[in-house]
Structure formats: C-alpha cells, structure tokens
Amino acid sequence: MRFLIVGAGAIGGYFGGRLVQKGEDVTFLVRNAKQIQLEADGLIVKSVHGDFQTSVRTISNREAVEPFDCIIIAVKAYHLPQVMNDIEPYVGKHTLILPLLNGYDQFSILQKRFGPEHVLGGLCYIETTLDSTGTIVQSSSFHSIVFGEWAGGESERTQLLLSHLDHAGFTVTLSSDIQREVWQKYIFVASLSGITTLMDSSVGPIFASPKARAIYEQLLQEIVSLAQNAGMPVGPENIASTMQKMLSVLPEFTSSMHRDMHKQLPVEADHLHGALLAMAVPGQGAYPVLETVYARLKVYESVNDMK
C-alpha cells in the first residue's frame, strides 16, 4: 500500500515516520523549504516511546506521480482548502483519504470534493510539537490513530489499511462507529483547548482551582448539550469519559492551541468553537462559556491580525 502523508509536521511527521520505520511505502507531500530540510537532515523524532531519525521520500506541490492508495491528511483545519487542491492529482479511483484533523465539518467538505466513497473517518490522540529546529517532540504516553468507514461497520478495505498501519510503533484501532469516536475527540479537544486558552494555563492549575474547574465542567456540559440538541451521536457518557481523560493527564498537559497562541500562530477557533456555535439550534440552550471562549480566541486573532 502506497501512503501519501500530507504534512511532515508534528502529527504527520510522527505517524509517517513510524510507518517508514516499519518499512511501509511512504511519501510526504511538503513545501519546498521543508523538502530541502528533510533531504538534508532527514526526519528527526524525539519521543517518550523512543527517538529516531530516518531519511524519507518527499514530493512538492503537484509533482507528477501516480495516485496513492491512502492519503493521510495531518494538518491544521484552516489549511484544508489548500490541501484539497494539493492532493487532487494524487486521488485515484480507489484512493482512501484518512483525515486526522480536529473537528467535524472537514468530513463533509472532503466528501463533497472527492466523493463519500473516498473519505474515511479518522482521528488521532497524541501530544506532539515541533521545536525551533524542526524536530518532532512527542511527550505523552498516548500516540494512537482511530479510523473506520464513515457510514459505520467494517469493510475489506479498512481491514487491509489496518494491516498496514498496525505494528508501526503506535496504537491503531479500527472502529465500526467512527462518527461517535470523532465526536468524543471533538468534545475533548474543544473543551481542552477552550479552557487552556481561556485560563492561559495547563491542566494542572485549572483543576487545582475549584472555580476554574467548575468553569471547565460548565464548558464541557455546554458542548455536549449543544451537540446533542443538534442531533449528533453524543450523550451524558461523553461528559464522564472526557472528565476521566482530563483527570488522567499530567498537570503540565495543555492543548496545541494553547501552545500555538504562545507562539503567536493561527488557531482553529472557527473550525472548533465557532463550528460548534454554528450548530446551535435556536431556542434550545444557552452556551455562555463556549461563547466566551470563542470571543477570547477571536480577540487573539484580531490582535495578531489573523484571518
């Protein structure tokens, strides 16, 4: 199976690098500057699961190659419009597209562009970032991919993909109910990024403060209630499982959005919190903490002139 990894950043570089180590046929679609760096230094990963450095195969935008069997999209959601243009030449009749983006809207956007038969449901759990040298730093015990057929169930093609993703040095799960899994991740990421950016803090101090913890719990309740009112596959069990996950992480754990703000980088405000508010059913519920989070992020974008 021929893989195309879109992006060799913190997420795509990590999972793609592990697949290269396994011996899979992997190519990275990268910008010219990143291509030059990778050709000179290779892909460098520092991980709690073991450091490695490896040479990788790369292509730049619209370089002529045959379509790929699986295209893994591992970029920030705001890059998706450009990414769809970039991957179009590499989508063949049987190509699978596996997005590892935060949020929910990207699945319908990709399905409209390439056809629902090409787009799987997918997500990942990992804490990773790029340092100033471009090295991928992976610092958490969890490094997993969950994927499946968007319509549910299992298939011969997802079983085949599982066989290639498995035993690559990270955890991979084939789900028969991927939309429910996507929403569990969405709830976790939206609440985590919301509270850490609102409080400008990692998880530890937030949960050590009864008032801050109460605000987080209200934010979590609002997100789940909004999604449930909008007819999404969520329920009270999502609150319990998200709280359990939040309480299990290290005190210094934070969101990638919080780290991006400190680096004065763009954030996924519209793709996460804004998209949630856009789903709200008029007259059903109030979401003051979620609205405060979104307003705080839009002020950040305005101050930093980010559109």
Side-chain angles (χ1 to χ4, degrees), residues 48-102:
V48 295
H49 299 284
D51 301 345
F52 66 91
Q53 182 173 0
T54 182
S55 58
V56 294
R57 185 186 306 116
T58 64
I59 57 173
S60 57
N61 189 23
R62 296 197 169 264
E63 190 172 327
V65 295
E66 292 296 314
F68 289 84
D69 299 307
C70 179
I71 299 176
I72 297 178
I73 302 177
V75 298
K76 295 292 187 180
Y78 45 76
H79 289 310
L80 185 58
Q82 181 60 51
V83 163
M84 290 193 295
N85 291 333
D86 294 343
I87 68 173
E88 191 167 29
Y90 311 122
V91 178
K93 184 177 180 181
H94 301 293
T95 300
L96 297 176
I97 299 173
L98 176 56
L100 300 181
L101 287 72
N102 292 326

Side-chain angles (χ1 to χ4, degrees), residues 1-5 19-20 22-27 57 67-72 94-98 120 147 156-166:
M1 178 170 278
R2 296 173 61 245
F3 287 93
L4 179 66
I5 313 292
L19 288 169
V20 170
K22 180 190 174 185
E24 294 289 344
D25 185 341
V26 177
T27 300
R57 185 186 306 116
F68 289 84
D69 299 307
C70 179
I71 299 176
I72 297 178
H94 301 293
T95 300
L96 297 176
I97 299 173
L98 176 56
L120 299 175
F147 76 100
E156 187 175 321
R157 65 181 189 170
T158 53
Q159 289 286 354
L160 176 61
L161 179 56
L162 175 65
S163 71
H164 286 273
L165 293 174
D166 207 6

Side-chain angles (χ1 to χ4, degrees), residues 96-251:
L96 297 176
I97 299 173
L98 176 56
L100 300 181
L101 287 72
N102 292 326
Y104 180 75
D105 289 347
Q106 69 270 17
F107 296 102
S108 62
I109 292 169
L110 284 162
Q111 288 165 0
K112 288 176 183 176
R113 178 68 176 268
F114 298 105
E117 70 278 9
H118 286 287
V119 183
L120 299 175
L123 57 105
C124 66
Y125 288 103
I126 189 169
E127 187 180 15
T128 183
T129 189
L130 292 178
D131 69 12
S132 58
T133 69
T135 295
I136 297 165
V137 181
Q138 192 272 325
S139 52
S140 62
S141 59
F142 49 91
H143 55 160
S144 61
I145 290 176
V146 184
F147 76 100
E149 293 285 358
W150 186 247
E154 296 183 7
S155 64
E156 187 175 321
R157 65 181 189 170
T158 53
Q159 289 286 354
L160 176 61
L161 179 56
L162 175 65
S163 71
H164 286 273
L165 293 174
D166 207 6
H167 305 295
F170 55 83
T171 305
V172 59
T173 302
L174 175 56
S175 171
S176 61
D177 193 3
I178 193 61
Q179 292 193 46
R180 191 171 295 277
E181 300 275 2
V182 165
W183 269 101
Q184 178 61 66
K185 169 72 182 295
Y186 193 175
I187 291 164
F188 173 71
V189 170
S191 61
L192 170 66
S193 60
I195 199 66
T196 53
T197 54
L198 185 63
M199 299 293 177
D200 191 17
S201 172
S202 61
V203 170
I206 293 169
F207 276 72
S209 164
K211 289 186 177 180
R213 175 169 173 159
I215 291 171
Y216 171 75
E217 291 173 348
Q218 183 178 344
L219 173 62
L220 177 58
Q221 175 64 55
E222 288 179 13
I223 292 170
V224 172
S225 175
L226 187 157
Q228 193 169 19
N229 288 340
M232 300 302 162
V234 304
E237 68 277 5
N238 294 104
I239 295 176
S241 58
T242 302
M243 281 299 301
Q244 182 180 20
K245 191 171 186 66
M246 288 288 285
L247 292 170
S248 71
V249 302
L250 296 173

